[in-house]
Amino acid sequence: YWPSARKAQVSTERQAATKCMPSGLLYTATISVFAATRLASRPLLAGPALRQSRGCRLMASVSGVVYAQADVPAVRLFTKEGCTLCDKVRDVLRGVTDRAPHSLEAVDITDEDHAQWLAKYKYDIPVLHLDGAYWTKHRLTEEEALEALAEAGAGAFAARRGEPDAERLERRKEER
């Protein structure tokens, strides 16, 4: 029998321990709260591609070249770890590479050196740029990809309307 105040404290400790554990470890009832808290507080060895995000969870950066070709349109995919819509867009782009050659670079908006992209796109990933100009957000069909890549290949691609800007949106909300 535990007094209700102690039950609440244990519950809070369990939540904190679970939150701070590496993603590969799960808190289970067989681990004492003390052991879970000690395990979660140990320093973790992390390479340059890992960073802490929200609390103690380690996240891998997904920035980098996905595939590259010379003298073709360059697509930049603004994304973050765990973005399933981003994975679908990446699959569509990979599926059209033989018909519309292009290179693809992923930009993780949660990386420290990409703060400007996080401020702009935090509510709207995936966002795509084509040859440095805004292209589209959220979803992409094969037909849309082929059309835009053909335009870019011919040097006729122009930035599309509707580029998201979360920072501007938040400023407008504050002004109201």
Side-chain angles (χ1 to χ4, degrees):
Y1 171 76
W2 285 3
S4 59
R6 178 66 183 139
K7 285 182 185 176
Q9 180 184 359
V10 168
S11 176
T12 303
E13 289 171 357
R14 280 185 183 152
Q15 289 171 3
T18 303
K19 177 181 173 188
C20 294
M21 284 188 168
S23 59
L25 298 174
L26 297 175
Y27 179 84
T28 63
T30 59
I31 298 174
S32 73
V33 172
F34 176 75
T37 304
R38 289 212 32 189
L39 180 63
S41 66
R42 287 186 185 157
L44 298 171
L45 298 176
L50 295 177
R51 67 187 182 288
Q52 286 194 326
S53 174
R54 291 193 193 128
C56 301
R57 184 166 176 255
L58 288 177
M59 310 240 337
S61 173
V62 294
S63 288
V65 174
V66 179
Y67 49 86
Q69 297 182 38
D71 301 320
V72 294
V75 179
R76 290 183 91 192
L77 169 62
F78 294 90
T79 184
K80 69 178 184 175
E81 181 184 37
C83 174
T84 56
L85 284 177
C86 302
D87 294 339
K88 289 178 183 180
V89 166
R90 185 178 297 123
D91 291 344
V92 167
L93 288 167
R94 188 169 279 138
V96 300
T97 53
D98 57 336
R99 293 173 280 166
H102 62 279
S103 60
L104 179 61
E105 175 192 7
V107 178
D108 190 327
I109 65 171
T110 63
D111 287 350
E112 286 181 18
D113 57 338
H114 296 143
Q116 77 276 17
W117 299 118
L118 178 63
K120 196 167 189 172
Y121 296 148
K122 63 184 162 190
Y123 303 131
D124 287 294
I125 60 169
V127 173
L128 293 169
H129 284 193
L130 184 52
D131 287 338
Y134 171 73
W135 176 12
T136 191
K137 64 182 179 181
H138 301 162
R139 289 180 174 72
L140 181 69
T141 65
E142 273 193 21
E143 296 77 25
E144 292 167 336
L146 291 169
E147 180 183 322
L149 290 166
E151 286 177 29
F157 182 81
R160 305 296 202 246
R161 296 186 64 197
E163 181 175 12
D165 190 344
E167 198 170 37
R168 186 183 66 200
L169 178 69
E170 290 171 348
R171 278 194 310 269
R172 279 198 285 181
K173 280 185 176 179
E174 288 175 4
E175 291 172 359
R176 291 181 191 178

